[in-house]
Structure formats: C-alpha cells, structure tokens
Amino acid sequence: TYSINKGTYSNPIDPSKQQFSWYLETIFPSIWKGIDMSVMLAADIGQMYGNNLGVNLLFRKTFSPFH
C-alpha cells in the first residue's frame, strides 16, 4: 500500500508524508510429520511510521483427539 498522508482538516501535515507498507505470508503445508509452517513478513518504509521490518514464524500441528 502506498499513501500520501496530509493529516486532517484540524491537524494538517505540511509537508505531507509518504508511506509504503506491505505484508507477505507464505504457507508450507506438512513440512515434517504433519506440521505446517507459515512465514510472515511485514514492512513499513517512509516518513509516517518510519522504516520497520517484522518477521513471524508459525508452526502448527493439527490433530483430532476424538477418533
């Protein structure tokens, strides 16, 4: 997402601030003995929120206890 932030009527931002934000998620099903893995990346680049990077790793095991 790309945005040019100008504030509000009562609180304008001058000069305006530019911002680019993105999010990516990839799922790897059944990587080992029925365990799924997800990798999530997110970033902010710009003047509004600064430059930030986030990474999340998720491991999930699904089971049914009542067979």
Side-chain angles (χ1 to χ4, degrees):
T1 304
Y2 174 75
S3 63
I4 299 174
N5 302 278
K6 297 179 181 273
T8 63
Y9 291 112
S10 61
N11 190 16
I13 298 173
D14 189 29
S16 59
K17 295 183 179 182
Q18 298 181 26
Q19 186 67 36
F20 178 72
S21 302
W22 59 269
Y23 174 82
L24 173 70
E25 179 177 359
T26 303
I27 300 171
F28 301 96
S30 195
I31 60 168
W32 181 69
K33 294 187 179 182
I35 296 175
D36 300 335
M37 182 177 85
S38 296
V39 178
M40 291 149 270
L41 301 170
D44 292 312
I45 303 166
Q47 302 158 330
M48 191 72 182
Y49 304 114
N51 297 330
N52 301 290
L53 176 66
V55 178
N56 188 13
L57 295 175
L58 171 72
F59 296 93
R60 177 178 52 211
K61 172 75 174 169
T62 305
F63 63 96
S64 179
F66 304 108
H67 270 244

